[in-house]
Amino acid sequence: MVSYVGVLLYGVGGIVVAGMALLVAFQEKLVYVPVLPGLTKSYPVTPARLRLLYEDVWLRSSDGVRLHAWFIKVLPESRGPTVLFFQENAGNIAHRLEMVRIMIQRLQCNVFMLSYRGYGASDGYPSQHGITKDAQAALDHLSQRTDIDTSRIVVFGRSLGGAVGALLTKNNPDKVAALILENTFTSILDMAGVILPFLKWFIGGTSSKGPKLLNFLVRSPWSTIDVVGQIKQPILFLSGLQDEMVPPFHMQMLYGKAAAHNRECVFVDFPNGMHMDTWLAGGDHYWRTTQQFLEKHVPEIKEHDSSHDDKGDSFSS
């Protein structure tokens, strides 16, 4: 009996050690997937292929990493809202062009698509610390442009992009007018147990009841649940109830945390929406919901109205 218990304990110990080794060695490969299996790191298409008016933008993050982005305008002289778009963890911005094409058409907005470091044509290697700097570089670039209305910058993020966008929005109340989150997780700490179920006993976020013994090993925690309650700007939550990657209750938890401190939060779910296709499954309802949110929180400023107000007032928080 003693030997049996010993073997069992050794077995459990072996699983823990194996989990730690996997976490240390491969966590970046699990969180960040710049190249999809069977494809190359380069862009398969550009906005020109979809007949979109765009500009190649090259940026430098604050630590010197060279970044690439596409700035796509709805019209050459458009002063409509500008959406700063943050993608999911896998593939590159070219794989989101069809969705962005429809976004531009339906919302009459400009879209700035950033390639995180290590993704697409950007240099470097992805990490939470680095991507946070990349997002700030993109926002700083937009804030300095003279061909857009900088008071109407809206951050959009799906999945990992939501974590990136939430942190950026929290850190820049004077530059970001509103935030849209779609199918975003509470934290990578909580997602560890979803990806590798045995890890839920050792890793978890603030909502986890486990011992969290291995949290210190996670280099990219992306704890959106700890950020979203500090955001003062309006937030739209778009949740696909058939999400096969991020459990939908993550979005409900994020909304609950945010709405407890922010009265300008809206939660909308889409019964048939999966992780990547909520915008498609949601159809007209998805786009009308988003359009109404933009019309309320980043309305067009008429010329006769702007003559009465100093433009700098729109940056106050």
Side-chain angles (χ1 to χ4, degrees), residues 20-314:
M20 290 178 66
L22 284 171
L23 192 62
V24 171
F26 299 111
Q27 61 180 274
E28 272 80 16
K29 293 186 182 299
L30 291 172
V31 176
Y32 309 110
V33 189
V35 182
L36 294 170
L39 300 179
T40 65
K41 185 173 179 284
S42 61
Y43 304 125
V45 295
T46 70
R49 182 80 168 270
L50 280 66
R51 298 183 179 180
L52 296 171
L53 180 69
Y54 81 104
E55 170 190 344
D56 279 301
V57 178
W58 295 96
L59 307 170
R60 289 277 179 187
S61 64
S62 60
D63 58 353
V65 176
R66 187 170 182 256
L67 307 170
H68 177 253
W70 286 326
F71 183 48
I72 309 173
K73 299 195 74 172
V74 59
L75 292 169
E77 304 300 324
S78 173
R79 304 293 291 184
T82 295
V83 173
L84 176 50
F85 183 96
F86 295 122
Q87 67 159 77
E88 309 84 349
N89 72 316
N92 60 52
I93 55 176
H95 302 125
R96 281 80 195 174
L97 275 175
E98 180 57 29
M99 184 264 190
V100 166
R101 181 185 69 82
I102 297 175
M103 174 184 282
I104 291 169
Q105 182 183 71
R106 293 295 302 262
L107 305 181
Q108 291 296 291
C109 62
N110 309 309
V111 178
F112 190 93
M113 303 180 74
L114 172 70
S115 278
Y116 308 135
R117 61 182 61 200
Y119 283 70
S122 293
D123 296 339
Y125 300 92
S127 68
Q128 177 171 338
H129 184 69
I131 290 175
T132 299
K133 291 179 180 294
D134 301 344
Q136 188 65 54
L139 178 60
D140 290 345
H141 169 82
L142 283 177
S143 299
Q144 294 166 11
R145 293 188 71 114
T146 58
D147 59 340
I148 65 170
D149 184 344
T150 56
S151 70
R152 303 177 75 193
I153 296 174
V154 177
V155 169
F156 175 99
R158 182 188 296 129
S159 194
L160 172 65
V164 177
L167 184 57
L168 182 71
T169 300
K170 190 265 289 187
N171 290 339
N172 293 271
D174 58 335
K175 293 181 179 179
V176 177
L179 172 66
I180 302 173
L181 296 179
E182 182 179 319
N183 297 337
T184 298
F185 46 76
T186 53
S187 72
I188 290 295
L189 297 171
D190 289 328
M191 284 299 296
V194 175
I195 298 171
L196 299 172
F198 70 89
L199 287 178
K200 68 183 178 182
W201 301 107
F202 309 103
I203 296 175
T206 55
S207 60
S208 172
K209 297 179 181 179
K212 311 175 188 176
L213 297 177
L214 303 184
N215 278 12
F216 73 97
L217 293 175
V218 179
R219 292 185 289 269
S220 292
W222 288 115
S223 190
T224 312
I225 192 71
D226 294 327
V227 171
V228 73
Q230 302 177 56
I231 295 173
K232 296 178 173 60
Q233 301 96 312
I235 311 174
L236 173 61
F237 295 82
L238 302 171
S239 177
L241 298 185
Q242 302 303 315
D243 193 325
E244 74 285 11
M245 297 186 69
V246 176
F249 75 81
H250 280 229
M251 283 289 285
Q252 295 164 3
M253 290 181 66
L254 290 175
Y255 171 72
K257 187 67 175 288
H261 305 276
N262 185 342
R263 297 180 63 183
E264 295 291 352
C265 293
V266 179
F267 185 96
V268 183
D269 58 36
F270 300 89
N272 299 318
M274 298 180 72
H275 190 64
M276 296 289 291
D277 78 346
T278 297
W279 63 274
L280 190 60
D284 188 60
H285 179 43
Y286 178 97
W287 294 114
R288 280 191 292 106
T289 296
T290 308
Q291 183 178 27
Q292 289 167 3
F293 178 78
L294 295 182
E295 288 174 348
K296 179 178 180 180
H297 297 294
V298 285
E300 180 181 1
I301 300 175
K302 303 296 184 181
E303 288 187 10
H304 68 274
D305 292 333
S306 62
S307 65
H308 297 291
D309 299 304
D310 183 81
K311 188 176 180 181
D313 292 341
S314 62

